[in-house]
Every structure is written in C-alpha cells, then in structure tokens.
Amino acid sequence: MISKVYISHSPADEEMALQLSRALWRVGLESYVALYNLSPAISLAERASFGLRNSECLVALLTVEGSTSPEVCQEIGLARGLDLLIIPLLEEGAKLPFLIEHLRPLVFREEKYADVVGLLIKTIRELSRLEWLKVTCPKCGEEMTQYLTPQEDVEEALAKCTFLETICSYCQNKIRLDARTFEPRL
C-alpha cells in the first residue's frame, strides 16, 4: 500500500515537482518534495535519506536536465538499495539513468505534463486503495474531503474531454475538477 511518495527531481524542476506533489496531496498521498527548503540545520543528504526511508515509492522526475542531475541519480541509487518501488517520469529526449534503464517509464512532453501526472495517479490507484479526495474551493478557499471519483468515471471524463464536477459544501458553488490531476476550477 502506497501512502508516502518521495519525488526525486533536479533543483531546476522544482515547479514541476511541486505541481506533482499538489496533485498527489489531492488524492491523499503524502509526498516528500520540498526537502531543499526544509530543516536547513540538517544536511540535504540527511533530508533525502530521511524522505526515502519514510516512503514506499520513489517517483523520479527525469527531464533532459534532471536525468543527469547527481542528486537525482544518487537518490535513485539509495531507493534501489532500499528496494523501493521506482516509477520514472521521463521527458521526451531524456535518458534513463543506468540503474533504472530496465524500467518502463511514463513518458511526457512538458506541455502535456498534466497527462503524465494523471497516468501516475491512475498507476498508484491500481497499486493502492486511494479512497479520499481533498478539494480546495477556488471561490471560498475552504478545504473539503470527499470520496475519490471512481476510476471508470475519470476514464469517461478523459475520453469525453470533460471535467469532473462537485459542489463546495461550504459556499455551494459548482467546482469543475481536472480529470487528470483533480485540480479544482470554477
């Protein structure tokens, strides 16, 4: 069962990693992503080791720049040593580091990044029992928790290029959810 995910990324890919972390949070997964900014009294190596040892899965965000990042490659090596599940997200044009070149990556283009985030969520749903969805209303800012939309409904919305819909339990406004990332919109 996956409940905590470590997102390995280069410092240049921080925004993409934070976007991924927010999407995982919405479906109830805790992620270690912003370790570069947390606990400055503890070394970066110790923060990475702590995050990996407390996770069940490593998601390696491998952009053209990130796939050659020494930090990312070392985090992958530690994850292999800990026998963690590794799911690589590989940008077109990038190469998998040799320690994981045997894995089948989820390939993406930067302009279609939300698609690969949705595929990752679907993959983790198949491996875990994700039940809850956290939604922050874009109008009133209140956070609510509701049952996670069944995968069949997500697939149907994706096929029709439509949004999922819910209603804010506080302000009663309709909220559209991106079927890939569950990001709320009015």
Side-chain angles (χ1 to χ4, degrees):
M1 177 105 150
I2 298 172
S3 62
K4 295 180 185 173
V5 176
Y6 186 92
I7 302 171
S8 181
H9 65 287
S10 73
D13 299 323
E14 183 78 15
E15 186 55 41
M16 292 174 81
L18 289 173
Q19 185 180 354
L20 175 57
S21 178
R22 287 189 293 269
L24 295 176
W25 173 85
R26 285 191 284 274
V27 296
L29 294 168
E30 187 177 336
S31 64
Y32 294 97
V33 66
L35 294 176
Y36 294 108
N37 302 326
L38 299 175
S39 304
I42 300 171
S43 74
L44 179 57
E46 287 302 312
R47 286 179 267 168
S49 177
F50 173 83
L52 283 162
R53 290 178 192 281
N54 287 286
S55 298
E56 294 91 19
C57 175
L58 169 90
V59 174
L61 178 56
L62 301 165
T63 60
V64 173
E65 182 176 332
S67 64
T68 60
S69 163
E71 294 89 356
V72 171
C73 292
Q74 289 177 15
E75 289 169 345
I76 289 170
L78 181 54
R80 286 287 313 265
L82 295 170
D83 201 26
L84 292 181
L85 172 65
I86 300 173
I87 303 173
L89 304 183
L90 185 69
E91 183 180 30
E92 285 184 3
K95 288 182 64 178
L96 287 173
F98 82 95
L99 283 175
I100 59 169
E101 64 188 2
H102 64 285
L103 298 178
R104 187 172 54 182
L106 304 177
V107 181
F108 70 96
R109 289 191 315 259
E110 187 174 352
E111 63 274 7
K112 298 256 185 186
Y113 183 61
D115 291 343
V116 82
V117 171
L119 185 55
L120 174 66
I121 290 171
K122 179 182 177 190
T123 301
I124 293 175
R125 279 185 90 166
E126 292 169 352
L127 299 172
S128 296
R129 231 182 57 212
L130 302 180
E131 298 176 349
W132 299 103
L133 178 64
K134 297 177 192 171
V135 180
T136 303
C137 178
K139 182 161 185 164
C140 72
E142 290 292 333
E143 180 184 306
M144 60 198 144
T145 303
Q146 52 192 234
Y147 283 112
L148 184 59
T149 308
Q151 188 62 37
E152 300 81 34
D153 295 348
V154 171
E155 297 293 334
E156 184 178 329
L158 289 170
K160 293 180 178 177
C161 295
T162 60
F163 289 94
L164 300 168
E165 293 186 1
T166 191
I167 295 176
C168 177
S169 56
Y170 298 96
C171 69
Q172 301 301 308
N173 280 300
K174 285 186 179 181
I175 302 171
R176 298 180 309 157
L177 301 174
D178 184 313
R180 301 164 299 177
T181 65
F182 299 96
E183 183 176 355
R185 300 196 171 116
L186 283 177

